[in-house]
Every structure is written in C-alpha cells, then in structure tokens.
Amino acid sequence: MISQAEENYLKALFHLTNEMQGKIEAGTNELAEILDVKPATANNMLKKLKEKEWVSYEKYGKITLTDKGKSLAVETVRKHRLWETFLYEKLNFTWDEVHEVAEQLEHIKSDKLVQQLERFLDFPETDPHGDPIPNAKGEIKFVNRKTLAEVEVGKTCKLISVKDNSSSFLQYVVKLGLGLSSKIKIISRQDFDGSMEIEVNKVRSSISKKVAQNLFVV
Amino acid sequence: MISQAEENYLKALFHLTNEMQGKIEAGTNELAEILDVKPATANNMLKKLKEKEWVSYEKYGKITLTDKGKSLAVETVRKHRLWETFLYEKLNFTWDEVHEVAEQLEHIKSDKLVQQLERFLDFPETDPHGDPIPNAKGEIKFVNRKTLAEVEVGKTCKLISVKDNSSSFLQYVVKLGLGLSSKIKIISRQDFDGSMEIEVNKVRSSISKKVAQNLFVV
DNA sequence: TAACGAAGTTAGATTAATCTAACAAATTTT
DNA sequence: AAAATTTGTTAGATTAATCTAACTTCGTTA
Ligand SMILES: [Mn+2]
Ligand SMILES: [Mn+2]
Ligand SMILES: [Mn+2]
Ligand SMILES: [Mn+2]
C-alpha cells in the first residue's frame, strides 16, 4: 500500500521531470526543496522508492520515474486536479484556496470515488489553474504554451494557466485584473531586469520577470 | 494538531459512551476492539489523550470524554456523516459502500470544506444509515428509537437507522427487502433464542436476535 | 475469602518519516 | 589543477503508532 508521503514524492518528481519544459531528471536537493523536507530525508525516501521500483537512481546520480512510478504520480495528479475542480465548481472555493485542501484530498483511496467524481464534474479537461486533468488511462492533453516572459512587445496573448499555485501568487494575479482567459497586451519590457508593462482590460501594470515566468499564455 | 489516529480514538469513544444507550464510560479493551488494535496500543494512546485533556481517565479506571474531547469527536462524526451523504446522494455510492471511504474523508482538515459541503447537500439531517448529522454547533437531533428486538409481536414499525454499518450487514438488510423507512410487521418471536419472523412488503423472513438488535425502528 | 479469569498495564521492539551534524563526491571557479 | 562551492550521503536521534509477551489489578465466583 502506497503511503501519502510516497505519493507526495512521486508527484513532486513528476512535476520536476515530466512537467518541466526540457527536464527529464531531478536531483535530491531540488526534490527536498519542493517537498519542504531536508535533503537527508529525501535521500532516505529515495532508497525506498528505488526498492519499490518506482524510481531509478544510483548513488550520486540523477533521479527519474519508472513507468510504474510515473503512472502512480499521474494518478495522484489526476485526483488532485479533479478535487480542485470540485472545490472550485461546486463548493465556492476561490482558485487560491483549492490547492491546500486538494493536497489532502488527493490521498483518499477509492477508485470508485475518482471515477464518480469525474463523472459528477462532467469530465473536466482543466483545473482552476488551467492545468490539464489526466484521464482515467493517465493520458494528459498537452497544450503548447509559453510564459509571458517570452512574448514579444506589442503582441497580445491569453492567459491559460499559472505555474506557481501558492495563494499569495494567485491573489497577486487577481489584483492585476487577471484570470484564466484574460487578454494581456505587452506594452514594453526593460532590458536589464526583464520587467515589463502589461495592459489588461485597459488597465496597465508593471510586473517583474519572475511574475511573467509564472504565467503561461498562448 | 490532532492526528488521524487521535480522531479515530475520540470518535470511537464517542460511539461507546455517548451514542450507546445507557453507557457513559468505556473500557480499554472494548475501545481497542472497535478500533481493531491491541489493548496495549489503546492504553498507550489513552495516555496521550489524557495528557491533551481530551479524555479523563485514571489507571485501571473507566474512560470518559472531556467536553473538549467530545466536541472534537462530534466534529469528526459530523464530517463522516456529511461525506457519507455526499457519496450517497451525489456520487452514486450504495449505503454499504459509503462508510469505508468516509472513514478516510472525515480526516480532511478544512473548516470551509465542511461548511460548504453541508450547504451543497442542503443541510441534511441524517446520513444514508439514518444516523443524525450534528450541526455546525455540534448539536445532534436525537430521535427516540428502539431496536426491532424490543418491538412486540403483532405490531408494525418503521426502520429509521441501522447500528452496524459494515457492508456485509447492510447487504444482508437489503436482501431482506429492507431500507430506511421500510415498514416491518412482527409476525412471531421465538422465546428461547429471540429470533423472529417479520413481514416486509408482504414478504416474510426469519431473522436472528442479533440482527434485530442492529435495526432501529420507531 | 481465596482463587480464578477477565481487564488493563508495562517493557521492549518495530516501522515510517522526519531531523541534525558530519562527511564525501561532483561541479564550478579561479 | 587546486580551491571553493554546491550537491548528495551517512550515521545517529526522535516521534507517532503499532505490536508481543509478561505482568498486575479487578471483579466474580466457588
Ligand atoms: Mn499531498
Ligand atoms: Mn491546480
Ligand atoms: Mn477514520
Ligand atoms: Mn453512517
């Protein structure tokens, strides 16, 4: 029986290796970092995951998910995003509130629950942050997207998802007048720090490069 | 922060002491029994619960919940029954399937979730087994009920709740043609073993005393 | 009331998940 | 290539929840 901790590690590895543009392997420290544990702890867990054949990794080497590990991770991601959608669509949660509770709900073990929840939500394709929801077979509908930081000055684009799911970031995004599907026009960009001025619904704001890199657009 | 195990112990104590007719205190062994752990384990946990002032108990003495402990237990019962209702009403679960999943869902920590779930379900008063759902203040609408074993021969009564929530028992109840609100007529009762013949929708069945004691009627 | 069986407790071990501190290897910088 | 920095590992300790085996206390019955 897979534990909650194990599910969290596999999910984190999936985010690091499969959902990151141009990355297919992860390191102990970055894994520890996003799980908010010490590297020693992650290292200890890695040994267990390797033993169970959910990751492949050798001492001092890089970490990758095995097929089995990836499929377990995707199942957890699927549950996470279905629950976020449920909270948002049915229980009046805002998009900055759903993540924390979904972190707990994703660990509930019941195949029927997931299947019925998906039907109840009418087979949603994306969660409240614009991220794709894997289907029952573990297939993920990939959307070609880039970050706002990569868009040229003068162009207009549409926000389709956010990278950082923290409530502080999401609340800031709302404050900028942004939500999923918002049209964003790039007014100007500073060369030296990558900060930029954008226009949303006729309102102009200045945002840092860091912020722009956390907004995915098409 | 209260752990899942602690919540399970408090809930079990609540069932033993507050929801059992004519019982206000529990023993270590029966507590261990319903939680499916060894007496030594329960004893160990009892020390922690006492330390946290959620139970009052002295070595070799009886166990009772403190006010704080009772209120925590009721909150967990409330969540359990709301989730059971959700699974039954919205996700097409049958009444013998809801308990196991609710055992997990009851531990999710989010006040907003509980409050919104209750609203979403339109403030249900009872769960799929006929048990009352405590309100947000922890108040429970008590219904005067007796077990089928106590009903006189010749009388007709109505099933309002079941004591045993195990799926094997619930499936047996369904097989008898029974569900909540079913009318049951007592045809006869054997003196020596308390078994009885009942009639439900013109169909007669014979049930043991044990079964009759697990059916609550008015 | 003494003994017996039931109920309850203690001691010591185990497992999972975490930590700190010290150490080792790998990579980058000078 | 040596030094410095970053990355990763090990050893040992801690906490929560569980177990088994042995022991103690309680309550009932002869
Ligand atoms: Mn989680
Ligand atoms: Mn999300
Ligand atoms: Mn439970
Ligand atoms: Mn119930």
Side-chain angles (χ1 to χ4, degrees):
Chain A
M1 178 79 125
I2 190 168
S3 70
Q4 296 199 182
E6 287 166 341
E7 287 180 340
N8 286 336
Y9 280 89
L10 293 180
K11 186 157 65 83
L13 282 168
F14 178 75
H15 291 323
L16 281 173
T17 60
N18 288 77
E19 280 195 329
M20 279 293 252
Q21 64 288 23
K23 274 203 69 193
I24 50 157
E25 46 184 30
T28 306
N29 286 10
E30 58 180 347
L31 176 59
E33 164 94 43
I34 69 171
L35 286 167
D36 199 24
V37 296
K38 300 298 168 192
T41 306
N43 182 261
N44 176 66
M45 180 60 91
L46 247 8
K47 289 175 184 170
K48 286 182 218 164
L49 298 179
K50 182 197 159 97
E51 186 56 39
K52 295 190 170 184
E53 300 187 307
W54 292 337
V55 304
S56 72
Y57 124 99
E58 298 303 328
K59 205 197 281 190
Y60 292 107
K62 289 301 181 182
I63 313 155
T64 54
L65 287 170
T66 62
D67 285 353
K68 184 60 189 159
K70 180 175 165 183
S71 131
L72 287 168
V74 169
E75 183 59 26
T76 304
V77 168
R78 170 171 154 81
K79 292 199 274 179
H80 183 101
R81 292 179 182 165
L82 282 172
W83 280 116
E84 284 191 341
T85 305
F86 170 70
L87 296 173
Y88 187 79
E89 298 286 338
K90 307 290 184 182
L91 300 195
N92 301 132
F93 275 61
T94 54
W95 76 341
D96 58 296
E97 293 173 323
V98 298
H99 184 78
E100 182 190 338
V101 182
E103 272 303 312
Q104 301 175 60
L105 286 162
E106 70 190 1
H107 303 293
I108 304 294
K109 279 158 185 72
S110 165
D111 288 344
K112 179 163 189 172
L113 177 59
V114 183
Q115 174 225 311
Q116 288 293 313
L117 183 62
E118 184 181 33
R119 178 200 53 74
F120 185 62
L121 298 172
D122 207 14
F123 301 90
E125 302 212 324
T126 59
D127 78 7
H129 310 111
D131 292 313
I133 300 176
N135 70 16
K137 292 177 186 157
E139 297 159 346
I140 304 177
K141 199 164 278 175
F142 179 73
V143 172
N144 216 322
R145 60 191 192 180
K146 48 184 160 183
T147 72
L148 188 58
E150 300 167 78
V151 179
E152 290 165 49
V153 171
K155 292 265 165 90
T156 296
C157 54
K158 187 175 74 165
L159 182 66
I160 61 150
S161 58
V162 287
K163 189 168 180 181
D164 181 342
N165 277 5
S166 70
S167 76
S168 57
F169 179 68
L170 293 170
Q171 283 167 18
Y172 174 63
V173 172
V174 169
K175 207 165 285 172
L176 292 171
L178 283 169
L180 294 190
S181 299
S182 289
K183 296 280 187 304
I184 308 170
K185 183 172 182 187
I186 319 300
I187 306 301
S188 67
R189 175 180 284 113
Q190 293 303 127
D191 263 2
F192 83 102
D193 70 350
S195 71
M196 51 205 280
E197 189 162 22
I198 59 172
E199 187 179 294
V200 183
N201 288 326
K202 322 256 189 234
V203 179
R204 294 191 175 189
S205 322
S206 171
I207 62 173
S208 71
K209 186 177 188 183
K210 178 114 180 258
V211 168
Q213 288 172 328
N214 276 286
L215 298 173
F216 287 116
V217 297
V218 285
Chain B
M1 179 81 125
I2 190 168
S3 71
Q4 295 199 183
E6 287 167 341
E7 287 181 341
N8 285 337
Y9 280 88
L10 293 179
K11 185 157 65 84
L13 283 168
F14 178 75
H15 292 322
L16 282 173
T17 60
N18 288 78
E19 281 195 328
M20 280 293 252
Q21 67 286 24
K23 273 203 69 192
I24 49 157
E25 45 184 31
T28 307
N29 287 10
E30 58 179 347
L31 176 58
E33 165 93 42
I34 68 170
L35 286 167
D36 199 25
V37 296
K38 301 297 167 193
T41 306
N43 182 261
N44 176 66
M45 180 60 92
L46 247 9
K47 289 176 184 170
K48 286 181 217 163
L49 298 179
K50 184 197 159 96
E51 187 56 38
K52 294 189 172 185
E53 300 188 307
W54 293 336
V55 303
S56 73
Y57 126 98
E58 298 303 327
K59 207 196 282 192
Y60 292 107
K62 290 299 182 183
I63 313 155
T64 55
L65 287 168
T66 62
D67 284 351
K68 182 60 188 160
K70 181 173 166 185
S71 129
L72 287 168
V74 169
E75 182 59 26
T76 303
V77 168
R78 170 171 153 81
K79 292 198 274 180
H80 184 101
R81 292 179 181 166
L82 283 172
W83 279 117
E84 284 191 340
T85 305
F86 170 70
L87 296 173
Y88 187 79
E89 299 285 338
K90 307 290 184 181
L91 300 194
N92 301 133
F93 276 59
T94 55
W95 77 340
D96 58 297
E97 293 174 324
V98 298
H99 184 78
E100 181 190 339
V101 182
E103 272 301 312
Q104 301 176 59
L105 286 162
E106 70 190 0
H107 302 293
I108 304 295
K109 282 161 183 67
S110 165
D111 288 344
K112 178 162 189 172
L113 177 58
V114 184
Q115 174 224 309
Q116 289 292 313
L117 184 62
E118 184 181 34
R119 179 198 53 74
F120 184 63
L121 298 171
D122 207 15
F123 301 90
E125 302 211 325
T126 59
D127 78 8
H129 310 110
D131 292 313
I133 300 177
N135 70 16
K137 292 178 187 159
E139 298 159 346
I140 304 176
K141 200 165 278 176
F142 179 72
V143 172
N144 216 321
R145 61 191 190 178
K146 48 185 158 183
T147 73
L148 188 58
E150 300 168 78
V151 179
E152 291 165 48
V153 172
K155 292 265 165 93
T156 295
C157 54
K158 186 175 72 164
L159 182 67
I160 60 150
S161 58
V162 288
K163 189 167 179 182
D164 182 342
N165 278 4
S166 71
S167 76
S168 58
F169 179 68
L170 293 170
Q171 283 167 18
Y172 174 62
V173 172
V174 169
K175 205 166 285 172
L176 292 171
L178 283 169
L180 294 190
S181 299
S182 288
K183 295 280 189 303
I184 308 171
K185 182 171 183 188
I186 319 300
I187 307 300
S188 66
R189 176 180 283 115
Q190 293 304 126
D191 263 3
F192 82 102
D193 70 350
S195 71
M196 50 205 283
E197 188 160 25
I198 59 171
E199 186 178 293
V200 183
N201 288 326
K202 321 257 189 237
V203 178
R204 292 190 177 189
S205 322
S206 172
I207 62 173
S208 71
K209 186 177 189 183
K210 178 112 181 260
V211 168
Q213 288 172 329
N214 276 286
L215 298 172
F216 287 117
V217 298
V218 285

PDB file of all heavy atoms in Angstrom, chain B residues 175-194:
ATOM      1  N   LYS B 175     -31.078  -7.496   1.292  1.00  0.00           N
ATOM      2  CA  LYS B 175     -31.592  -8.789   0.843  1.00  0.00           C
ATOM      3  C   LYS B 175     -32.936  -9.131   1.506  1.00  0.00           C
ATOM      4  O   LYS B 175     -33.758  -9.841   0.946  1.00  0.00           O
ATOM      5  CB  LYS B 175     -30.551  -9.880   1.125  1.00  0.00           C
ATOM      6  CG  LYS B 175     -30.682 -11.074   0.198  1.00  0.00           C
ATOM      7  CD  LYS B 175     -29.446 -11.960   0.266  1.00  0.00           C
ATOM      8  CE  LYS B 175     -28.256 -11.352  -0.472  1.00  0.00           C
ATOM      9  NZ  LYS B 175     -27.005 -12.095  -0.253  1.00  0.00           N
ATOM     10  N   LEU B 176     -33.139  -8.585   2.716  1.00  0.00           N
ATOM     11  CA  LEU B 176     -34.399  -8.814   3.418  1.00  0.00           C
ATOM     12  C   LEU B 176     -35.511  -7.928   2.849  1.00  0.00           C
ATOM     13  O   LEU B 176     -36.652  -7.973   3.310  1.00  0.00           O
ATOM     14  CB  LEU B 176     -34.235  -8.506   4.913  1.00  0.00           C
ATOM     15  CG  LEU B 176     -33.340  -9.458   5.719  1.00  0.00           C
ATOM     16  CD1 LEU B 176     -33.094  -8.890   7.118  1.00  0.00           C
ATOM     17  CD2 LEU B 176     -33.984 -10.845   5.808  1.00  0.00           C
ATOM     18  N   GLY B 177     -35.157  -7.102   1.877  1.00  0.00           N
ATOM     19  CA  GLY B 177     -36.149  -6.203   1.292  1.00  0.00           C
ATOM     20  C   GLY B 177     -36.289  -4.912   2.082  1.00  0.00           C
ATOM     21  O   GLY B 177     -37.211  -4.130   1.895  1.00  0.00           O
ATOM     22  N   LEU B 178     -35.321  -4.689   2.979  1.00  0.00           N
ATOM     23  CA  LEU B 178     -35.406  -3.531   3.874  1.00  0.00           C
ATOM     24  C   LEU B 178     -34.556  -2.355   3.413  1.00  0.00           C
ATOM     25  O   LEU B 178     -33.485  -2.530   2.822  1.00  0.00           O
ATOM     26  CB  LEU B 178     -34.938  -3.921   5.280  1.00  0.00           C
ATOM     27  CG  LEU B 178     -35.904  -4.715   6.133  1.00  0.00           C
ATOM     28  CD1 LEU B 178     -35.181  -5.242   7.372  1.00  0.00           C
ATOM     29  CD2 LEU B 178     -37.074  -3.815   6.547  1.00  0.00           C
ATOM     30  N   GLY B 179     -35.041  -1.176   3.714  1.00  0.00           N
ATOM     31  CA  GLY B 179     -34.286   0.054   3.504  1.00  0.00           C
ATOM     32  C   GLY B 179     -34.809   1.057   4.505  1.00  0.00           C
ATOM     33  O   GLY B 179     -35.757   0.748   5.235  1.00  0.00           O
ATOM     34  N   LEU B 180     -34.220   2.241   4.591  1.00  0.00           N
ATOM     35  CA  LEU B 180     -34.735   3.234   5.542  1.00  0.00           C
ATOM     36  C   LEU B 180     -36.195   3.522   5.189  1.00  0.00           C
ATOM     37  O   LEU B 180     -36.566   3.569   4.027  1.00  0.00           O
ATOM     38  CB  LEU B 180     -33.901   4.521   5.485  1.00  0.00           C
ATOM     39  CG  LEU B 180     -32.453   4.379   5.953  1.00  0.00           C
ATOM     40  CD1 LEU B 180     -31.800   5.741   6.096  1.00  0.00           C
ATOM     41  CD2 LEU B 180     -32.369   3.628   7.281  1.00  0.00           C
ATOM     42  N   SER B 181     -37.006   3.651   6.221  1.00  0.00           N
ATOM     43  CA  SER B 181     -38.454   3.913   6.099  1.00  0.00           C
ATOM     44  C   SER B 181     -39.297   2.679   5.788  1.00  0.00           C
ATOM     45  O   SER B 181     -40.527   2.790   5.686  1.00  0.00           O
ATOM     46  CB  SER B 181     -38.768   5.006   5.066  1.00  0.00           C
ATOM     47  OG  SER B 181     -38.163   6.209   5.452  1.00  0.00           O
ATOM     48  N   SER B 182     -38.656   1.531   5.616  1.00  0.00           N
ATOM     49  CA  SER B 182     -39.436   0.315   5.374  1.00  0.00           C
ATOM     50  C   SER B 182     -40.359   0.030   6.554  1.00  0.00           C
ATOM     51  O   SER B 182     -39.984   0.215   7.706  1.00  0.00           O
ATOM     52  CB  SER B 182     -38.504  -0.894   5.215  1.00  0.00           C
ATOM     53  OG  SER B 182     -37.823  -0.856   4.004  1.00  0.00           O
ATOM     54  N   LYS B 183     -41.560  -0.460   6.228  1.00  0.00           N
ATOM     55  CA  LYS B 183     -42.499  -0.883   7.281  1.00  0.00           C
ATOM     56  C   LYS B 183     -42.259  -2.360   7.576  1.00  0.00           C
ATOM     57  O   LYS B 183     -42.203  -3.183   6.670  1.00  0.00           O
ATOM     58  CB  LYS B 183     -43.944  -0.718   6.797  1.00  0.00           C
ATOM     59  CG  LYS B 183     -44.365   0.714   6.532  1.00  0.00           C
ATOM     60  CD  LYS B 183     -44.723   1.436   7.825  1.00  0.00           C
ATOM     61  CE  LYS B 183     -45.348   2.801   7.541  1.00  0.00           C
ATOM     62  NZ  LYS B 183     -44.471   3.665   6.739  1.00  0.00           N
ATOM     63  N   ILE B 184     -42.106  -2.659   8.862  1.00  0.00           N
ATOM     64  CA  ILE B 184     -41.833  -4.041   9.273  1.00  0.00           C
ATOM     65  C   ILE B 184     -42.918  -4.516  10.232  1.00  0.00           C
ATOM     66  O   ILE B 184     -43.175  -3.877  11.251  1.00  0.00           O
ATOM     67  CB  ILE B 184     -40.481  -4.143  10.014  1.00  0.00           C
ATOM     68  CG1 ILE B 184     -39.359  -3.500   9.189  1.00  0.00           C
ATOM     69  CG2 ILE B 184     -40.157  -5.604  10.339  1.00  0.00           C
ATOM     70  CD1 ILE B 184     -38.048  -3.367   9.945  1.00  0.00           C
ATOM     71  N   LYS B 185     -43.534  -5.647   9.900  1.00  0.00           N
ATOM     72  CA  LYS B 185     -44.533  -6.211  10.821  1.00  0.00           C
ATOM     73  C   LYS B 185     -43.935  -7.432  11.516  1.00  0.00           C
ATOM     74  O   LYS B 185     -43.308  -8.273  10.865  1.00  0.00           O
ATOM     75  CB  LYS B 185     -45.789  -6.626  10.045  1.00  0.00           C
ATOM     76  CG  LYS B 185     -46.880  -7.162  10.955  1.00  0.00           C
ATOM     77  CD  LYS B 185     -48.190  -7.354  10.216  1.00  0.00           C
ATOM     78  CE  LYS B 185     -49.258  -7.830  11.203  1.00  0.00           C
ATOM     79  NZ  LYS B 185     -50.501  -8.210  10.492  1.00  0.00           N
ATOM     80  N   ILE B 186     -44.122  -7.484  12.844  1.00  0.00           N
ATOM     81  CA  ILE B 186     -43.581  -8.615  13.604  1.00  0.00           C
ATOM     82  C   ILE B 186     -44.614  -9.729  13.612  1.00  0.00           C
ATOM     83  O   ILE B 186     -45.694  -9.578  14.189  1.00  0.00           O
ATOM     84  CB  ILE B 186     -43.301  -8.229  15.083  1.00  0.00           C
ATOM     85  CG1 ILE B 186     -42.685  -6.847  15.197  1.00  0.00           C
ATOM     86  CG2 ILE B 186     -42.455  -9.305  15.756  1.00  0.00           C
ATOM     87  CD1 ILE B 186     -41.393  -6.671  14.499  1.00  0.00           C
ATOM     88  N   ILE B 187     -44.286 -10.832  12.974  1.00  0.00           N
ATOM     89  CA  ILE B 187     -45.224 -11.952  12.898  1.00  0.00           C
ATOM     90  C   ILE B 187     -45.147 -12.830  14.140  1.00  0.00           C
ATOM     91  O   ILE B 187     -46.161 -13.184  14.736  1.00  0.00           O
ATOM     92  CB  ILE B 187     -44.936 -12.816  11.642  1.00  0.00           C
ATOM     93  CG1 ILE B 187     -44.917 -11.939  10.390  1.00  0.00           C
ATOM     94  CG2 ILE B 187     -45.956 -13.943  11.510  1.00  0.00           C
ATOM     95  CD1 ILE B 187     -46.197 -11.189  10.107  1.00  0.00           C
ATOM     96  N   SER B 188     -43.941 -13.188  14.522  1.00  0.00           N
ATOM     97  CA  SER B 188     -43.793 -14.037  15.715  1.00  0.00           C
ATOM     98  C   SER B 188     -42.370 -13.915  16.253  1.00  0.00           C
ATOM     99  O   SER B 188     -41.481 -13.396  15.578  1.00  0.00           O
ATOM    100  CB  SER B 188     -44.049 -15.500  15.339  1.00  0.00           C
ATOM    101  OG  SER B 188     -43.035 -15.948  14.466  1.00  0.00           O
ATOM    102  N   ARG B 189     -42.215 -14.403  17.485  1.00  0.00           N
ATOM    103  CA  ARG B 189     -40.873 -14.380  18.086  1.00  0.00           C
ATOM    104  C   ARG B 189     -40.659 -15.664  18.878  1.00  0.00           C
ATOM    105  O   ARG B 189     -41.540 -16.108  19.606  1.00  0.00           O
ATOM    106  CB  ARG B 189     -40.711 -13.172  18.997  1.00  0.00           C
ATOM    107  CG  ARG B 189     -39.366 -13.163  19.716  1.00  0.00           C
ATOM    108  CD  ARG B 189     -39.207 -11.960  20.631  1.00  0.00           C
ATOM    109  NE  ARG B 189     -38.909 -10.743  19.895  1.00  0.00           N
ATOM    110  CZ  ARG B 189     -39.694  -9.676  19.814  1.00  0.00           C
ATOM    111  NH1 ARG B 189     -40.873  -9.679  20.410  1.00  0.00           N
ATOM    112  NH2 ARG B 189     -39.317  -8.615  19.142  1.00  0.00           N
ATOM    113  N   GLN B 190     -39.497 -16.276  18.727  1.00  0.00           N
ATOM    114  CA  GLN B 190     -39.156 -17.477  19.495  1.00  0.00           C
ATOM    115  C   GLN B 190     -38.649 -17.056  20.865  1.00  0.00           C
ATOM    116  O   GLN B 190     -37.761 -16.198  20.956  1.00  0.00           O
ATOM    117  CB  GLN B 190     -38.034 -18.258  18.795  1.00  0.00           C
ATOM    118  CG  GLN B 190     -38.415 -18.876  17.487  1.00  0.00           C
ATOM    119  CD  GLN B 190     -39.614 -19.797  17.615  1.00  0.00           C
ATOM    120  OE1 GLN B 190     -40.594 -19.638  16.901  1.00  0.00           O
ATOM    121  NE2 GLN B 190     -39.546 -20.740  18.553  1.00  0.00           N
ATOM    122  N   ASP B 191     -39.186 -17.681  21.879  1.00  0.00           N
ATOM    123  CA  ASP B 191     -38.751 -17.323  23.224  1.00  0.00           C
ATOM    124  C   ASP B 191     -37.296 -17.677  23.512  1.00  0.00           C
ATOM    125  O   ASP B 191     -36.548 -16.880  24.052  1.00  0.00           O
ATOM    126  CB  ASP B 191     -39.633 -18.028  24.268  1.00  0.00           C
ATOM    127  CG  ASP B 191     -40.737 -17.092  24.736  1.00  0.00           C
ATOM    128  OD1 ASP B 191     -40.806 -15.965  24.194  1.00  0.00           O
ATOM    129  OD2 ASP B 191     -41.502 -17.488  25.630  1.00  0.00           O
ATOM    130  N   PHE B 192     -36.913 -18.893  23.091  1.00  0.00           N
ATOM    131  CA  PHE B 192     -35.602 -19.388  23.560  1.00  0.00           C
ATOM    132  C   PHE B 192     -34.380 -18.715  22.939  1.00  0.00           C
ATOM    133  O   PHE B 192     -33.335 -18.636  23.564  1.00  0.00           O
ATOM    134  CB  PHE B 192     -35.514 -20.908  23.405  1.00  0.00           C
ATOM    135  CG  PHE B 192     -35.144 -21.375  22.025  1.00  0.00           C
ATOM    136  CD1 PHE B 192     -33.846 -21.794  21.746  1.00  0.00           C
ATOM    137  CD2 PHE B 192     -36.083 -21.371  21.011  1.00  0.00           C
ATOM    138  CE1 PHE B 192     -33.501 -22.207  20.474  1.00  0.00           C
ATOM    139  CE2 PHE B 192     -35.749 -21.786  19.745  1.00  0.00           C
ATOM    140  CZ  PHE B 192     -34.457 -22.205  19.465  1.00  0.00           C
ATOM    141  N   ASP B 193     -34.478 -18.193  21.730  1.00  0.00           N
ATOM    142  CA  ASP B 193     -33.311 -17.526  21.146  1.00  0.00           C
ATOM    143  C   ASP B 193     -33.607 -16.114  20.644  1.00  0.00           C
ATOM    144  O   ASP B 193     -32.729 -15.438  20.119  1.00  0.00           O
ATOM    145  CB  ASP B 193     -32.702 -18.366  20.012  1.00  0.00           C
ATOM    146  CG  ASP B 193     -33.603 -18.414  18.772  1.00  0.00           C
ATOM    147  OD1 ASP B 193     -34.764 -17.950  18.870  1.00  0.00           O
ATOM    148  OD2 ASP B 193     -33.155 -18.911  17.732  1.00  0.00           O
ATOM    149  N   GLY B 194     -34.833 -15.656  20.823  1.00  0.00           N
ATOM    150  CA  GLY B 194     -35.153 -14.300  20.417  1.00  0.00           C
ATOM    151  C   GLY B 194     -35.242 -14.077  18.919  1.00  0.00           C
ATOM    152  O   GLY B 194     -35.400 -12.953  18.465  1.00  0.00           O
TER     153      GLY B 194
END
